[in-house]
Amino acid sequence: MTRTLRGAWARRRELAPVAALAAALVASVTACLAEGRVAGDATLAAPLVLLGAVALVAPARSVAAERRDDAALARLRGLGGARLVGQLLAEPVLALVAGGLVGLGVAAAFWPGSVAAGGLVLLVVAGFGALAVAVALAVGMRERLADQVSRVARPRASSSAATFAGLVSLAAAGYAVFAARQSTVPPRWLVDSAPALLGLALGQVLVWLLRGASRAAVARSAASRTGVFLATRRLARRAGSLTPLALLVAAAVTATVAATAAASAYDWVDQAARVRAGAPVQVPLDGVGAARALTLTHRLDPAGRWLMAAVVLPPGEGGRRTVLVDSPRLARVSGAVLAGTGAAAVARLVPDLGHEPGVRAGRAHGSPSVARGDVLGLRGRVTGRPSAWLTVRVDYVTAADYVTTGTVGTRPDGHGLVAARVRLPGCSRGCVPTALTIDVAGDATGTLSMRSLGFGGLDLLRVFGLPAAISLSNPPSGLRPVRASRPVPAIGTPGTTSGRAPGATSRTVGALRVQGPDGTERSAAPRGRVAALPLVGTRGVLADLGTALAGALPTSPAAQVLVLARADTPSTMLSRLPGTPVRLAQVHRRVAAASGAARGGAALLTGLCALLVTAIALFAGVARQRRELASETAALRVTGLPLERLRSSVRVELLACGAAAAVGVGLGSWLAVGLLLARLRLLTVPADAVAPDGGARPLLLVAGSLVALGIVVLVVGLGRVVRERASRPALLREEGVL
């Protein structure tokens, strides 16, 4: 054990990348599992597990290359087989365990409840890393001893095993994409891993294309500049210089798709919450009728700057719901919140809803159907021989939301004048007349010319469609309901205003219907359609509350009565509403929790961790690449080539690798978003909500490509640094080459 510790300390520079990768893997996988469990889907960490397994191969090969001389000397002494592999494996396993413990400590500090899962991840990382190192050492044992004891490691083309692994990645990516796009539900881990598999396959194809292009360009670049010739020759001969690009493309594609999914989820939650809330502040009114809510908002806010009454009815035929709003106030109260959503056009269409003809919208009581007063009055003149007793009865819904009857009766005076008034109970906060009866008792002839028949500011002649002159010998008989024959102007969604009616089985268009506050249905006249409606989403109808209250009975117990308010509504005004305000931020949190939007954040964490692990894996081979380049540069300097010209070849190589990585990430991300983003199911979207935007976002595609380019320049470039002292020709003599 002491010998192993001393050996590990002596080779700490070579083992440090292995320990760093183990620490990053354990911490990252543990964190992603913890966040995935919180989001309800632990399989979101599957891409990181896949890329982590691929990333462990690079440091395993580097460790085997570092112990190449030790393995050669041991073989000269007669050692070999499993015994030699076991001796050489002890130090890398120690580095893996030490790094894993560090990663476990970091994960436990931020996610205390993930220690058990982190311990299991540590065992898996250490076990797989040890297996990768053992396989790399065993492959090195098969090398000819004469080549293994040579001081110069000759560049080799890609092995058949590496080619087979590339073909397997292509097949796996094709199957994952095919399975994800089927109607049947594939395993979640396969769908979540599909972007990583697609990026890995595309990166492998990119490596093959770049290597083939480099080999074809070697002969043609012989007459070109020295830097270009050396760069193309190096890319064509050294398989290890391009292999990490596949892993980098896969990690960047995974991160870009995750960022696109997270941005799409955030935008959808924001828009869905604003549509669901309808305004910055929502105040549910329990036990309050629609008429009282409308009267209350107009009494507290006569100018209509802050408050708006609304009623949401339960789903009707075809699952569509009706929302009734005080339409003249909608643009001022809800316009800013609905801007940028599928319901933004509602503010432009509500003026077409209007009120009944002949009534000025925005009057004191706010509706042509709601009486804001308790006086029932009759004024007129009777011509002929008036000797009868006139009785007017009005059925109305009180502010307490029950039906009662008010009666006023009178007899014409000697001049034929009729005048009577009576106070009706329960109407101080708004009443809705529902029916009217006029009775004439006694023998009378002539005509009653009514100058006014008013109820709390309402003209009952207009409300009930009565003529101004009534024959006393043949008065209107029976109960006369409120005139409601005209279709209610309404705004619908595409599924309710055109095409097949919801729930219909034929090609005929179903008639659009609007529910009143009492739950009864009336025919509607469409005034336009929008993608979504405030409070009800994509399957509903919106109409004016004041118009729909005409003749309405008490508010349905299943209806939700609300007051919507602006964000800058005075607190004193909100405190006078009989309900608890619900802010937009609260609705935002509810929508996010119900839709599982946290899965987008967990996927983004997985993508970022994949980039971190990939960068560390690429850094693991920096020391070996730097030594190989130093020996090559020293040999070229012996021939008289200046160092600056050799450095230009490194810049050309970096430019080629960086450009290839950027193009691969951009193309792979675009394909992955188009093919897989909608299949990842990171959001649970209700049937009445607008579908999220699943398209590619150019800014994120460019950002992913730039990140890949930056990793190539910063991390891979460290292994291509050519220093004058480290590449002096005397180095060849010191290494025994010359």
Coordinates of all heavy atoms in Angstrom, one line a residue, residues 494-502 504 506-512 526:
P494 N -60.4 28.9 -32.0 CA -60.6 28.3 -33.3 C -61.4 27.0 -33.2 O -62.2 26.7 -34.1 CB -59.1 27.9 -33.7 CG -58.3 29.0 -33.1 CD -58.9 29.3 -31.8
G495 N -61.4 26.3 -32.1 CA -62.2 25.1 -32.0 C -63.6 25.3 -31.7 O -64.4 24.4 -31.8
T496 N -64.0 26.6 -31.4 CA -65.4 26.8 -31.1 C -66.1 27.8 -32.1 O -67.3 27.9 -32.1 CB -65.5 27.5 -29.7 OG1 -64.7 28.7 -29.7 CG2 -65.0 26.6 -28.7
T497 N -65.4 28.4 -33.0 CA -66.0 29.3 -33.9 C -65.9 28.9 -35.4 O -66.5 29.5 -36.2 CB -65.3 30.7 -33.9 OG1 -63.9 30.5 -34.2 CG2 -65.4 31.3 -32.5
S498 N -65.2 27.8 -35.7 CA -65.2 27.3 -37.0 C -64.9 25.9 -37.0 O -64.4 25.3 -36.0 CB -64.1 28.1 -37.8 OG -62.8 27.8 -37.3
G499 N -65.0 25.2 -38.2 CA -64.7 23.8 -38.3 C -65.8 23.0 -37.6 O -66.9 23.4 -37.3
R500 N -65.4 21.8 -37.2 CA -66.4 20.9 -36.5 C -66.6 21.4 -35.1 O -65.7 21.7 -34.4 CB -65.8 19.5 -36.5 CG -66.7 18.5 -35.9 CD -66.1 17.1 -35.9 NE -65.9 16.6 -37.3 CZ -65.5 15.4 -37.6 NH1 -65.1 14.6 -36.7 NH2 -65.3 15.1 -38.9
A501 N -67.9 21.3 -34.7 CA -68.2 21.7 -33.4 C -67.6 20.7 -32.4 O -67.5 19.5 -32.7 CB -69.7 21.7 -33.2
P502 N -67.1 21.2 -31.2 CA -66.5 20.2 -30.2 C -67.5 19.1 -29.9 O -68.7 19.4 -29.5 CB -66.3 21.2 -29.0 CG -66.2 22.5 -29.6 CD -67.1 22.5 -30.8
A504 N -68.8 17.0 -31.9 CA -69.6 16.6 -33.1 C -68.9 15.5 -33.9 O -67.7 15.4 -33.9 CB -69.9 17.8 -34.0
S506 N -70.1 14.9 -37.2 CA -70.3 15.2 -38.6 C -69.5 16.4 -39.0 O -68.8 17.0 -38.2 CB -71.8 15.5 -38.9 OG -72.2 16.7 -38.2
R507 N -69.5 16.8 -40.3 CA -68.8 17.9 -40.8 C -69.5 19.2 -40.6 O -69.0 20.3 -41.0 CB -68.4 17.7 -42.2 CG -67.5 16.6 -42.5 CD -67.1 16.4 -43.9 NE -66.1 15.4 -44.1 CZ -64.8 15.6 -44.1 NH1 -64.3 16.7 -43.8 NH2 -64.0 14.6 -44.3
T508 N -70.7 19.2 -40.0 CA -71.5 20.4 -39.9 C -70.9 21.2 -38.7 O -70.4 20.7 -37.7 CB -73.0 20.1 -39.6 OG1 -73.0 19.3 -38.4 CG2 -73.6 19.4 -40.7
V509 N -71.0 22.5 -38.8 CA -70.5 23.4 -37.8 C -71.5 23.6 -36.7 O -72.7 23.9 -37.0 CB -70.1 24.8 -38.4 CG1 -69.6 25.7 -37.3 CG2 -69.1 24.6 -39.5
G510 N -71.1 23.3 -35.5 CA -72.1 23.5 -34.4 C -72.3 24.9 -34.1 O -71.4 25.8 -34.2
A511 N -73.5 25.3 -33.6 CA -73.8 26.6 -33.3 C -73.1 27.0 -32.0 O -73.0 26.3 -31.0 CB -75.4 26.8 -33.0
L512 N -72.5 28.2 -32.0 CA -71.8 28.7 -30.9 C -72.8 29.2 -29.8 O -73.7 29.9 -30.0 CB -70.9 29.9 -31.3 CG -70.0 30.5 -30.2 CD1 -69.0 29.5 -29.7 CD2 -69.3 31.7 -30.8
P526 N -70.4 35.2 -33.2 CA -69.0 35.4 -33.2 C -68.5 36.7 -33.7 O -69.0 37.2 -34.7 CB -68.5 34.2 -34.1 CG -69.6 33.3 -34.1 CD -70.9 34.1 -34.1

